[in-house]
Amino acid sequence: MDDLAALIERVMDEKDWTLSTLARRSGISTSTLHSWKSGDRATGSRGPSPALLRKFAEGAGLTVAEVFEAAGRTIPAPMDNESERRFLHLFRSLDAEDRRILETTMQAMSERKKSHS
């Protein structure tokens, strides 16, 4: 299994791309990819955001699962566009305090799932 830095190197080697090419194709800044490649994720204690990891997967021609695994993140469960749209609509309808409570609850559920894996 590749870690994120090794995965970036592998993509660049296999496709004969520079870091700039990979950045352009994925829509992620070269400096961000460089920090991932050097092992300095510099994006907080949790590492790269899921949104950036998805952009990287798409731009590099990889699966989201492969990229999330390399980044040491929980592989997201599949969600169709309609389900995601409904979830976001409901979330946005909440006030700031309820959003905070929901986010804390979801984080606890995610951590519990990780500890049972």
Side-chain angles (χ1 to χ4, degrees):
M1 172 184 83
D2 291 329
D3 66 7
L4 190 55
L7 185 61
I8 291 168
E9 281 289 336
R10 182 168 61 84
V11 168
M12 290 171 55
D13 288 346
E14 288 176 0
K15 297 181 184 281
D16 196 28
W17 287 352
T18 65
L19 197 60
S20 296
T21 301
L22 182 55
R24 188 178 67 256
R25 290 181 171 265
S26 62
I28 299 172
S29 73
T30 304
S31 62
T32 296
L33 288 177
H34 182 269
S35 70
W36 294 358
K37 188 172 171 271
S38 68
D40 174 26
R41 296 202 178 148
T43 53
S45 61
R46 294 188 217 165
S49 74
L52 285 180
L53 291 174
R54 284 184 180 91
K55 286 175 77 170
F56 173 70
E58 184 175 334
L62 302 168
T63 66
V64 170
E66 184 177 13
V67 172
F68 272 63
E69 184 177 355
R73 300 292 299 259
T74 301
I75 299 169
M79 180 182 278
D80 62 71
N81 289 340
E82 181 59 23
S83 295
E84 185 173 5
R85 187 196 65 72
R86 283 193 317 269
F87 180 83
L88 288 173
H89 176 75
L90 289 169
F91 185 78
R92 289 178 181 135
S93 71
L94 301 174
D95 64 28
E97 178 62 14
D98 286 344
R99 285 182 184 185
R100 186 193 62 75
I101 291 167
L102 182 57
E103 184 177 354
T104 302
T105 302
M106 291 173 68
Q107 185 66 42
M109 292 170 74
S110 177
E111 294 299 322
R112 182 177 57 100
K113 181 180 175 189
K114 286 180 195 174
S115 71
H116 289 95
S117 299

